[in-house]
Amino acid sequence: MICSLLTQGQAPVSVAYYSSPSSSISKPKISAHFPRFSPGLLGPISSPAIRAFCSKSGQGGMASSLNQDSISYLSQREAAEVDETLMGPLGFSVDQLMELAGLSVATSIAEVYKPSEYNRVLAICGPGNNGGDGLVAARHLYHFGYKPFVCYPKRTPKPLYSGLVTQLESLSIPFLLADELPVDLSKDFDILVDAMFGFSFHGSPRPPFDDLIRKLVQLHDYGQIQQRPPVIVSIDIPSGWHVEEGDIGGEGIKPDMLVSLTAPKLCAKKFSGPHHFLGGRFVPPSIAEKYELQLPPYPGMSMCVRIGKPPQIDISALRENYISPEFLEEEVEADPMDQFRKWFDDAMAAGLKEPNAMALSTTGKDGKPSSRMVLLKGVDKDGFVWYTNYESRKARDLSENPHASLLFYWDGLNRQVRVEGSVQKVSEEESEQYFHSRPRGSQIGAIVSKQSTVVPGRHVLHQLYKELEEKYSDGSLIPKPKHWGGYRLKPELFEFWQGQKSRLHDRLFTSIVLPQYWAVKYE
C-alpha cells in the first residue's frame, strides 16, 4: 500500500507503506511521487504457521541487515570472559551453548545455500568447542535435507564429543580421514564448513590442520577453472586468522560465509565475503549491558540474523529448481472446484501462512490492468468471495469491466492456481453477515479507510478510528458502511501449476464452457 503526505505550498512528501498477506508489519520508505491513499486493512487470519529458524534480510516479512559499523565487536579477552560468565554464574553448560551454536550455523547455511543446489557438505572439525559446533551443525544439516560428511582428525574421549560422534554415526553420516580427502575438494563437495579453530586458539595450526587449511586456501586457485567451486562457511573465526587482526598475511582462507557466535569478534571487520550472519541467541541483558553490546535483534523465532551489508545479487542468476511430485492429467479431479479445494486443503495442512491470500487483477475501461493482494473469504459452487471498499480502484474497474483474474501462489508446495471469470457483488445480506463476523477493530477500520482516496495524513485516519472506537465502546452494534461489501468471481477458466525440475512445470487448465475438458501445457 502506498501512502503520501500532502502539505500545502510544497511538493508532496510521501511515505510508502508496504503491507502484504504474509506480513502484518508495515515498513516506511521515503518517496516523493505518490499521493497519500487511504489504505485497505488486511486482517490477520488464524492458521498454522511454518516456524522459521532464521530470517532473511531485504525481503518482505524478514529481518533487515544492521549496518556493520553500528555492531559491537569483541576482543579475544572479552570473548573468553563472556563465555566464562555464561558457563559460570549464568548457568549455561557447554553442551547447551554448543547445541545452540551448531543450530545457528546450520540455519544460516540453509538460508543461503539450498540443499537442492548445494547438497554435499563437508564439515572439517577441530579438537575443541569450535569442532563441536561443526559436529552439531552437521547433524542439523542432515535433518534439513543435506548430505553431510565429517572430517574429525583429532577426536577427544570426552563424553560430550564422543556423544556427538555417536549421534552422527547413528544417522550413517560418513567420517573421512584427513588423508582420504582429495587435493581438490571442489570435485566432491558443494559446501565446506570450517569448524577447526575458534577464538581461543593461539599459535600456528599443526598437522593435519595446516594442510586442511591449505586445501581451503587453494580452492581459490581451482575456482578459476571450475564453473562453481564449493563455498566455504567459517564458524566464528576463519581458521588461521588472527582473532583480532584477521588474515594478517592476506593469504588465508577467504570464506563465502562467516557465522559469528554470541557477538562478532574483531577479525570479522576484515571479512569481505557476501554473507555474514550472527548466531547463538543466548546473550542475556546483563552481558549486553556489561560489555555495552550493540547487537541486532533476532526477529521472531529466528536462530540467526544477517549482519553487515546485504549481498550484491545478480537477479538474472536467481532460480529455483523445483522438486515436486508429478501432477498428472489422469489424477486431476473432474470438477476444477474440487481440485482447487484439494490443493487449498493441502496448503492449510502444510501450515503455509495465509493460504487464502490471492492476487486480484482488474482492468477498467482504459484497458490498464491493476493488481493487488486480497484475502479469499469464501469459496462455494458459485465462486470465490472477497470483501473490499466499493469506492476503491478495483471496485471502479469492476464497475466498468466486470471480469477479473485471481492468482493463488503457495510457495511451500511449489503450486499456483489461476482463475478467470466474471464478477458481481454479493448480496447485501451476505456482506452484512460477514461484516459483523469480523473483529470490532476491523469493522471500524472498514468505516475509516476510504480506499484509493487522498487524505491529509495518517493522523486523520488514526483520529477517526479513535473517535469511532470511543463511540462504540459500549459494545453496541457497529453499522456496516454502504460503501463496503463483497464480490464473487464466477470461474470460467482454471489453470493449475505445479513446479518441476528444469522448468518443465506441469500445467493443467480447463474452461468451464468446455466441461469435462482438461488440457496439458508445459513451460
Side-chain angles (χ1 to χ4, degrees):
M1 296 179 296
I2 299 185
C3 311
S4 162
L5 177 63
L6 295 180
T7 57
Q8 294 184 355
Q10 58 184 353
V13 177
S14 67
V15 184
Y17 291 91
Y18 297 91
S19 180
S20 71
S22 64
S23 173
S24 60
I25 301 175
S26 295
K27 297 182 179 180
K29 181 178 180 180
I30 300 301
S31 177
H33 305 286
F34 305 100
R36 178 185 285 275
F37 292 104
S38 175
L41 304 178
L42 294 180
I45 64 170
S46 298
S47 66
I50 294 178
R51 304 301 187 184
F53 285 112
C54 191
S55 191
K56 301 175 187 175
S57 65
Q59 300 184 31
M62 300 174 182
S64 298
S65 298
L66 194 65
N67 187 300
Q68 185 166 324
D69 295 333
S70 64
I71 297 175
S72 298
Y73 292 77
L74 296 178
S75 66
Q76 188 174 39
R77 178 185 58 79
E78 290 170 334
E81 289 179 0
V82 168
D83 264 18
E84 291 174 2
T85 304
L86 287 170
M87 291 182 288
L90 294 181
F92 283 92
S93 61
V94 176
D95 53 336
Q96 281 181 313
L97 297 178
M98 198 173 289
E99 184 66 28
L100 291 171
L103 178 58
S104 299
V105 171
T107 52
S108 297
I109 291 173
E111 279 296 311
V112 178
Y113 305 112
K114 303 304 178 186
S116 58
E117 299 289 336
Y118 297 81
N119 187 250
R120 304 163 302 170
V121 182
L122 174 64
I124 306 175
C125 303
N129 290 353
N130 198 251
D133 297 340
L135 296 174
V136 173
R139 169 162 45 81
H140 286 293
L141 288 170
Y142 171 88
H143 292 298
F144 289 174
Y146 296 84
K147 186 178 180 181
F149 299 80
V150 175
C151 179
Y152 189 25
K154 298 291 184 180
R155 300 193 186 188
T156 171
K158 293 181 180 180
L160 169 59
Y161 298 92
S162 60
L164 293 176
V165 170
T166 300
Q167 293 166 17
L168 296 177
E169 290 176 339
S170 71
L171 298 175
S172 299
I173 294 175
F175 278 77
L176 306 176
L177 298 176
D179 56 10
E180 293 178 333
L181 296 178
V183 175
D184 180 7
L185 297 174
S186 63
K187 295 180 179 179
D188 299 302
F189 306 105
D190 305 305
I191 301 175
L192 303 171
V193 179
D194 163 27
M196 288 179 274
F197 299 111
F199 67 80
S200 61
F201 180 76
H202 294 272
S204 300
R206 291 182 290 181
F209 296 107
D210 54 350
D211 184 58
L212 290 170
I213 291 175
R214 227 176 350 257
K215 288 181 184 291
L216 296 184
V217 173
Q218 289 171 349
L219 280 175
H220 300 293
D221 298 328
Y222 291 121
Q224 294 177 3
I225 58 175
Q226 292 290 328
Q227 182 177 359
R228 190 191 71 183
V231 297
I232 301 175
V233 178
S234 288
I235 299 179
D236 210 22
I237 304 292
S239 294
W241 281 30
H242 189 282
V243 178
E244 297 175 354
E245 298 178 23
D247 182 15
I248 299 175
E251 299 178 352
I253 297 174
K254 292 179 174 55
D256 302 272
M257 173 184 284
L258 175 63
V259 184
S260 294
L261 298 173
T262 307
K265 313 310 178 286
L266 283 172
C267 68
K269 290 187 175 183
K270 306 294 179 64
F271 171 69
S272 59
H275 307 290
H276 188 187
F277 281 83
L278 178 65
R281 188 176 184 171
F282 43 67
V283 178
S286 58
I287 286 183
E289 292 171 4
K290 179 178 179 180
Y291 293 94
E292 299 181 348
L293 296 181
Q294 296 294 325
L295 300 175
Y298 288 87
M301 292 163 285
S302 301
M303 285 304 298
C304 60
V305 58
R306 184 185 288 276
I307 56 179
K309 297 180 180 180
Q312 297 298 313
I313 297 175
D314 178 7
I315 296 177
S316 67
L318 292 176
R319 56 181 52 88
E320 184 78 20
N321 199 27
Y322 301 107
I323 308 297
S324 311
E326 292 181 320
F327 182 46
L328 303 177
E329 187 178 6
E330 56 266 25
E331 296 176 356
V332 72
E333 299 291 335
D335 186 336
M337 288 297 287
D338 291 339
Q339 182 63 44
F340 174 83
R341 291 189 184 93
K342 182 178 180 180
W343 273 20
F344 187 85
D345 289 344
D346 288 346
M348 287 291 293
L352 303 185
K353 189 172 184 179
E354 292 193 327
N356 60 333
M358 59 186 186
L360 166 66
S361 297
T362 58
T363 305
K365 62 183 179 181
D366 59 4
K368 296 179 180 179
S370 177
S371 300
R372 75 289 291 160
M373 299 302 294
V374 298
L375 297 177
L376 176 70
K377 287 301 179 180
V379 57
D380 54 31
K381 61 182 180 59
D382 296 319
F384 299 80
V385 177
W386 69 93
Y387 293 86
T388 188
N389 188 305
Y390 285 152
E391 297 174 351
S392 63
R393 162 75 182 274
K394 52 186 169 293
R396 291 198 300 271
D397 283 355
L398 290 171
S399 68
E400 297 169 357
N401 178 11
H403 294 84
S405 69
L406 305 174
L407 176 64
F408 296 85
Y409 177 59
W410 297 308
D411 176 62
L413 299 175
N414 300 329
R415 288 175 177 174
Q416 59 180 313
V417 179
R418 187 166 61 86
V419 188
E420 296 178 4
S422 59
V423 181
Q424 62 182 12
K425 292 180 179 179
V426 305
S427 67
E428 185 68 13
E429 292 75 20
E430 192 172 347
S431 292
E432 190 83 36
Q433 182 179 6
Y434 173 71
F435 180 81
H436 289 112
S437 73
R438 306 176 86 202
R440 291 177 67 83
S442 297
Q443 295 180 40
I444 294 175
I447 299 173
V448 169
S449 178
K450 312 295 184 183
Q451 291 186 26
S452 303
T453 61
V454 178
V455 295
R458 67 185 314 185
H459 65 282
V460 175
L461 296 175
H462 289 184
Q463 182 59 36
L464 289 173
Y465 186 95
K466 182 178 180 181
E467 291 173 0
L468 289 177
E469 192 176 37
E470 293 174 353
K471 179 179 180 179
Y472 297 109
S473 61
D474 58 356
S476 58
L477 184 71
I478 301 174
K480 182 189 78 66
K482 293 182 179 180
H483 64 260
W484 190 95
Y487 285 100
R488 177 177 282 105
L489 181 143
K490 184 176 179 61
E492 298 170 359
L493 180 146
F494 283 86
E495 181 178 279
F496 294 85
W497 180 95
Q498 176 77 72
Q500 297 294 350
K501 293 181 180 179
S502 302
R503 293 297 182 264
L504 296 177
H505 311 309
D506 294 329
R507 297 172 65 197
L508 300 180
F509 78 96
T510 185
S511 173
I512 300 300
V513 299
L514 296 172
Q516 306 302 317
Y517 173 78
W518 283 93
V520 182
K521 297 165 65 177
Y522 290 99
E523 292 190 50

